[in-house]
Amino acid sequence: MAKYQELVMDIASYQPAALSFFQAAKAAGVRAVIIKITEGSNPGSAYVNPKARQQITNARAVGLRVHAYHYAKFNGRQDAWAEADWFTSQAKQFGIDAASVMVLDIEDASNAHFATNDANAFLRRVKAAGYPHVDVYSMASWFWQGRLIISQLIAKNLWVANYGVSAPGVADAGLWQFTSQYPVGGQRVDMSYDFNGFYTQVQTDNQPSVPASSWVDSTGLRWYKENGAFVVGSTAINLRQAAHTGAAPITTLLPAALVKYDAKTVNEGYIWVRQPRSDGQYGYLAVGRADSAGRNIDPFGTFR
């Protein structure tokens, strides 16, 4: 499975801790899980997820990579430090080690409106406690409005929540939480796509392993370099001016037509390829239907 198709689930005390739940997640294609550990600080709310230990144990038992997140209530640097200390102290008690990603979930009304400095104070404190791999989670609007300034954040992967759309809407987002209703073991859970492998691959430093051959276009779609050829099946397909079904057709490709392509993406429930054209422009072709994990489950032809 390509990195950009890998699934990452996040859970809290609302979700089960049973081994069967994590077995179902594994069977559904989930590769990693991010578990809520704490919220606030001590002194303060001093919240700890009562299911965290068992969730961590059973997620590891089925072979999932395990990461942790903290829900922020802080406002100001001192508060941020206190919450970072609470997070890391509890994480260590639960056996979360330096290989895991430690995530700041910052989206609460109690947080400063312009929260970048506070977020960085938290992240620096977490790193100083022995956790080199850090990330920030928030809704797309916080990045759009400058509440979190991407260029100034210490965390560079970026976990963005944005539902009901075909792309995260934030350039270079590394993890995209695309739904809160993904079916796993009879539950409906939050699910994300891992674009960079930051959560599903082993990391050697704090820089996400962004494939050199990927990029985000002006519409927010992430493309992956792939040279290949596609032969149209028994039904003609429109070659379009953009990778979406409403784009104007360039031409109609008849059955057995051969299309050479140089990149691939997923959009609107389809796998798309990009065809370089002689005029320096590109054509875009839907080559199959994609499932929720981005796999081609109904190809419209064959690949060579």
Side-chain angles (χ1 to χ4, degrees), residues 27-56:
V30 174
R31 293 288 304 280
V33 59
I34 310 169
I35 299 172
K36 181 178 181 179
I37 301 295
T38 51
E39 178 177 320
S41 65
N42 185 15
S45 57
Y47 174 83
V48 178
N49 173 5
K51 295 181 181 178
R53 188 178 299 278
Q54 189 178 0
Q55 288 173 335
I56 292 166

Side-chain angles (χ1 to χ4, degrees), residues 93-174:
Q93 290 186 37
F94 290 137
I96 299 294
D97 61 25
S100 293
V101 179
M102 299 285 276
V103 182
L104 167 62
D105 176 349
I106 184 165
E107 56 178 305
D108 196 81
S110 64
N111 302 135
H113 183 80
F114 295 109
T116 305
N117 288 340
D118 287 358
N120 281 340
F122 178 95
L123 296 171
R124 288 191 184 99
R125 194 82 162 190
V126 170
K127 288 167 68 70
Y131 292 100
H133 312 303
V134 296
D135 205 0
V136 170
Y137 166 93
S138 197
M139 59 200 80
S141 62
W142 278 49
F143 298 100
W144 297 339
Q145 296 166 7
R147 298 190 67 176
L148 293 167
I149 301 173
I150 293 173
S151 63
Q152 296 178 13
L153 283 170
I154 291 171
K156 298 303 181 185
N157 187 73
L158 302 184
W159 180 13
V160 177
N162 200 0
Y163 303 163
V165 292
S166 60
V170 175
D172 296 325

Side-chain angles (χ1 to χ4, degrees), residues 229-232 253-254 256-260 275 304:
F230 177 80
V231 179
V232 177
L253 299 174
L254 300 177
L258 176 68
V259 177
K260 292 184 178 180
Q275 179 204 45
R304 288 186 180 179

Side-chain angles (χ1 to χ4, degrees), residues 8 36-37 73 112 126 176 181 195 203 210 214 222-223 225 240-241 244-246 248 264 274-275 284 293:
V8 177
K36 181 178 181 179
I37 301 295
K73 304 287 285 188
V126 170
W176 173 26
Q181 298 294 311
F195 293 135
Q203 301 300 316
V210 181
S214 77
R222 182 175 289 275
W223 288 86
K225 188 72 177 176
R240 299 184 182 275
Q241 293 181 359
H244 63 86
T245 54
K264 185 181 288 187
R274 186 180 77 166
Q275 179 204 45
Y284 300 87

Side-chain angles (χ1 to χ4, degrees), residues 1-5 211-215 222-230 259-266 271-276 282 287 294 296 302-304:
M1 184 180 291
K3 285 184 179 179
Y4 68 98
Q5 295 173 330
S213 57
S214 77
W215 67 93
R222 182 175 289 275
W223 288 86
Y224 290 82
K225 188 72 177 176
E226 180 178 302
N227 291 310
F230 177 80
V259 177
K260 292 184 178 180
Y261 64 90
D262 68 354
K264 185 181 288 187
T265 193
V266 179
I271 306 291
W272 295 82
V273 296
R274 186 180 77 166
Q275 179 204 45
Y282 295 96
V287 295
N296 194 340
T302 56
F303 290 91
R304 288 186 180 179

